[in-house]
Amino acid sequence: MRIYCMTDIHGCLEPFLKALETVDMESEDSMLVLLGDYCDRGPDSLGVFRTVMGLQERYGARVIALRGNHEEQLLEYMSNVDNPDFAQAWKLADSNLATARSFLEPDEFEHVRHLLVLKRFEEAYRYTVGRIRKSHGDVIRWVRRLPYYWESPFGQVFVHAGIYEEAGVDWWKPGTPGEFFTSMPPMYVGQHFDLDVIAGHVNTEAVSGIAGYRGIWHDGTSHYYIDGNVMKNGEVAVLTYDSETGRYSGPGLGRH
Ligand SMILES: [Mn+2]
């Protein structure tokens, strides 16, 4: 079996489509695992969500989509429309309202922009959530069902940010708090774990500490970080795992 893996697409539909061209999903022996953060920052969050949903429709269980912290945030905005404190938080977290813009029709977005100019934040927030619910409720329901991790039959955990490894191989599942999976796990760089952990969330330049690093980074033991920072580098890195040989390959990796 071949497992392809990508993460942190962040609304960058074009680079995502380009990365998908390098993936052969027609073979029944292929899987695609996406580690979350489909939205925010880039120009077409909705397009990325719909592309992933389409891949699942076409290839069924061979496409696994996990949730990232940006999906958690999106769900939070969608469900807190009656909480006025969220109006400000919403505006700040979706920088430049890139995600809202991708979900709205141009005239709807103009209306939101107009409300913001008038400092009617609460109304803008309420209107945006209402439009998204009405036109793209299926996407929001899909996001709500995204799992936190996927364990492969090959001694691997795929996850957006990480797991609580101190809990050990038998207890990490019940032992990892939800926010560790998507946002703030302890870092175990360079420490051995009995499963390989494949994660995104922190870009590989940051996690490797090597200025200008791009692509995929292996810590020499159990951790593969695969967020190659598409906003900076314009490319979505693809990690490939071949279960026949037990090898990982991808940009930045030698042969492992
Ligand atoms: Mn993230």
Side-chain angles (χ1 to χ4, degrees):
M1 175 174 283
R2 201 171 297 162
I3 302 175
Y4 300 98
C5 188
M6 306 179 204
T7 193
D8 291 80
I9 298 156
H10 281 303
C12 297
L13 181 61
E14 289 306 317
F16 179 41
L17 294 176
K18 234 175 136 187
L20 283 173
E21 282 172 20
T22 70
V23 165
D24 170 23
M25 286 303 291
E26 293 309 320
S27 158
E28 289 288 329
D29 220 27
S30 293
M31 286 192 72
L32 175 64
V33 185
L34 302 168
L35 306 186
D37 279 7
Y38 309 97
C39 62
D40 298 340
R41 300 183 186 153
D44 198 353
S45 294
L46 177 65
V48 174
F49 281 130
R50 290 229 173 265
T51 300
V52 179
M53 290 165 76
L55 288 166
Q56 284 192 329
E57 255 161 53
R58 182 155 174 199
Y59 300 111
R62 292 198 287 118
V63 176
I64 291 177
L66 304 177
R67 72 165 67 195
N69 52 310
H70 286 260
E71 282 71 55
E72 300 258 82
Q73 252 176 17
L74 178 62
L75 294 178
E76 227 178 344
Y77 299 137
M78 293 304 296
S79 58
N80 278 281
V81 75
D82 294 321
N83 178 350
D85 293 344
F86 258 78
Q88 284 291 347
W90 161 77
K91 194 171 62 89
L92 291 173
D94 181 10
S95 46
N96 296 320
L97 299 182
T99 300
R101 189 200 299 255
S102 82
F103 274 90
L104 266 45
E105 296 299 318
D107 60 318
E108 294 173 340
F109 189 72
E110 272 316 303
H111 181 60
V112 171
R113 205 206 297 267
H114 179 70
L115 291 172
L116 292 176
V117 169
L118 300 176
K119 299 197 191 307
R120 286 152 65 178
F121 299 126
E122 235 181 284
E123 206 180 329
Y125 172 45
R126 191 178 294 274
Y127 174 81
T128 303
V129 168
R131 296 316 304 169
I132 293 175
R133 263 196 200 136
K134 192 155 167 56
S135 305
H136 304 289
D138 59 329
V139 176
I140 301 304
R141 285 190 293 278
W142 177 83
V143 171
R144 200 161 276 142
R145 291 194 303 267
L146 295 177
Y148 283 102
Y149 60 83
W150 180 63
E151 201 178 8
S152 85
F154 311 112
Q156 298 163 311
V157 185
F158 293 79
V159 63
H160 181 65
I163 61 172
Y164 186 53
E165 297 182 13
E166 281 141 83
V169 113
D170 295 325
W171 294 100
W172 67 266
K173 271 184 245 182
T176 302
E179 69 269 23
F180 282 12
F181 287 124
T182 56
S183 321
M184 299 187 307
M187 297 292 276
Y188 303 98
V189 166
Q191 296 179 43
H192 175 81
F193 188 61
D194 284 340
L195 303 168
D196 284 347
V197 180
I198 296 101
H201 185 59
V202 184
N203 71 61
T204 51
E205 180 173 10
V207 74
S208 69
I210 302 166
Y213 195 91
R214 53 193 290 173
I216 290 156
W217 187 72
H218 178 224
D219 73 345
T221 171
S222 310
H223 306 91
Y224 290 85
Y225 286 95
I226 73 163
D227 173 12
N229 198 344
V230 64
M231 288 298 285
K232 182 176 175 192
N233 297 314
E235 285 172 9
V236 176
V238 182
L239 175 73
T240 307
Y241 174 77
D242 183 340
S243 68
E244 306 280 300
T245 61
R247 282 188 173 139
Y248 294 87
S249 55
L253 290 181
R255 288 180 72 84
H256 281 73

